[in-house]
Amino acid sequence: MKKKPFLFDLTYPELQEIVTGFGEQKFRARQVWEQAYRHLAGSFDEMSVIPKKLREELTSGISYSHLNTHTDLHSNDGWTRKILFDLPDKSQVETVLMEYETRWTACISTQAGCALGCTFCATGQGGLQRNITSGEIVEQVMFFDRLLNKKDEKLSNLVFMGMGEPFANYKEVMKAVDTLTNPEGYNFGARRITISTVGLVPQIERFAEEKRQVNLAVSLHAATDELRESMLPINKRYPIEVLLKACKQYVNKTRRRISFEWALIDGVNDTPEQAKELARLLKGILSHVNFIPLNPTRGFKGRESKQKRIEQFQSILDDAGVPNTLRLRRGIDINAGCGQLRQEANKQD
Ligand code: SAH
Ligand code: SF4
């Protein structure tokens, strides 16, 4: 049996082909596309501009949703909402919605799980279930924007920092970016999208070539190979020197600033030596370092850095002229660190 196509996987021409295959005129496909991406309809049935007969045909011929809410949590601080979704084959992804000074950011998953095994990351601790499709990425965005739309608000930023390594699922992730930024449809600004990678060098090079307006963040977390390797196994394949060379090329080619992420772990990567080495590495690269105190996970013994250490670390970078920001951790009480909710939900397994 042929698998039912999934609406959010379809490009506009593909949708058009299906709709005209029903014996309908092309403009009906445009209406469906606009209803889904501009009016944020939650089902074909909600598309009242579409005749009932076509709505029924669409409903039986095209799947509208792959996401089923498994767990839905709001944090006590009132800023964060996190959902663990079941996909049709029972693999799972997490999506987080955060409010920052009246701006809404969604943190999107790009794989169900992750194969790269970073020691401190709950997703890495659980391994990879499978790559997800572009539609399964796009639907996470639609899901939250529909909720916001109901209260006359909308998403302002998208970060691909949920479960998974976006560059290990490159094709589907870029297809999702194309769908989300399609001017005839959802029309989300590419500049308001950030993709975070653990540092897959060939894909960073490819991404630089494509000269997209999307922001790039690289998870650095350590300034020496020995330490980075002990936290991020991928460093064995792409050591710091190779990685930073690709980052420099990215900046030169695109003229865009690159972000580096650094989860501060008590006594591990928050030492003055690491700060000095980091400042040395980033000298002359158009970049910004984002610090976040470690979110403790079940499979990793480390703890978040102490306030004093963080201040000391930042002041070393400040003195060296390396721009940096300390980000807030949000929704600690709902395991808002990505991958943590799946870990909790499957504790008994
Ligand atoms: N795979 C990509 C994107 C998903 S992870 C990447 O690694 O960049 C998004 C960010 O969360 C990464 O910077 C990752 O290192 C960080 N992260 C993972 N586990 C964390 C934890 N327990 N505490 C703080 N940050 C964490
Ligand atoms: Fe995968 Fe990113 Fe987690 Fe590493 S930090 S295991 S790359 S999701």
Side-chain angles (χ1 to χ4, degrees), residues 37 98 102-108 141 145 148 153-161 177 180-183 185-196 207 212-217 250 256:
Y37 290 110
M98 295 165 285
T102 75
R103 285 168 11 145
W104 292 94
T105 300
C107 180
I108 306 297
V141 180
D145 220 9
L148 290 174
E153 302 202 51
K154 56 181 169 36
L155 281 173
S156 11
N157 294 88
L158 292 178
V159 295
F160 288 19
M161 295 187 182
V177 168
L180 293 167
T181 55
N182 181 319
Y186 190 57
N187 197 23
F188 201 85
R191 285 193 167 86
R192 295 185 287 134
I193 300 177
T194 300
I195 294 180
S196 172
F207 188 70
R212 291 169 180 275
Q213 301 293 310
V214 173
N215 302 302
L216 182 64
Y250 166 85
R256 299 182 68 80

Side-chain angles (χ1 to χ4, degrees), residues 114-118 120-121 123-124 162-165 198:
C114 183
L116 293 172
C118 305
F120 55 92
C121 169
T123 307
M163 290 170 107
E165 167 52 40
V198 70

Side-chain angles (χ1 to χ4, degrees), residues 8-11 33 37 108-110 132-142 157-161 166-167 169-196 207 210-216 256:
F8 297 102
D9 272 339
L10 300 176
T11 60
W33 189 260
Y37 290 110
I108 306 297
S109 291
T110 55
I132 61 174
T133 69
S134 69
E136 288 163 346
I137 297 170
V138 169
E139 194 191 348
Q140 295 173 56
V141 180
M142 296 301 124
N157 294 88
L158 292 178
V159 295
F160 288 19
M161 295 187 182
F167 281 178
N169 188 17
Y170 195 90
K171 210 171 121 247
E172 293 300 312
V173 168
M174 294 311 155
K175 187 176 170 199
V177 168
D178 289 340
T179 301
L180 293 167
T181 55
N182 181 319
E184 316 291 337
Y186 190 57
N187 197 23
F188 201 85
R191 285 193 167 86
R192 295 185 287 134
I193 300 177
T194 300
I195 294 180
S196 172
F207 188 70
E210 291 174 359
K211 292 202 171 62
R212 291 169 180 275
Q213 301 293 310
V214 173
N215 302 302
L216 182 64
R256 299 182 68 80

Side-chain angles (χ1 to χ4, degrees), residues 114 116 118 120-122 160-166 196-198 217-219 221 232 261-263 292-297 337-338 340:
C114 183
L116 293 172
C118 305
F120 55 92
C121 169
F160 288 19
M161 295 187 182
M163 290 170 107
E165 167 52 40
S196 172
T197 178
V198 70
V218 173
S219 297
H221 302 304
L232 289 76
E261 288 158 276
W262 194 285
I292 178 168
L294 180 81
N295 240 317
T297 53
C338 270
Q340 285 183 262

Side-chain angles (χ1 to χ4, degrees), residues 2 44 87 94 108 214 224 267 310:
K2 204 161 167 274
F44 289 119
L87 296 168
E94 298 179 11
I108 306 297
V214 173
T224 50
I310 298 177

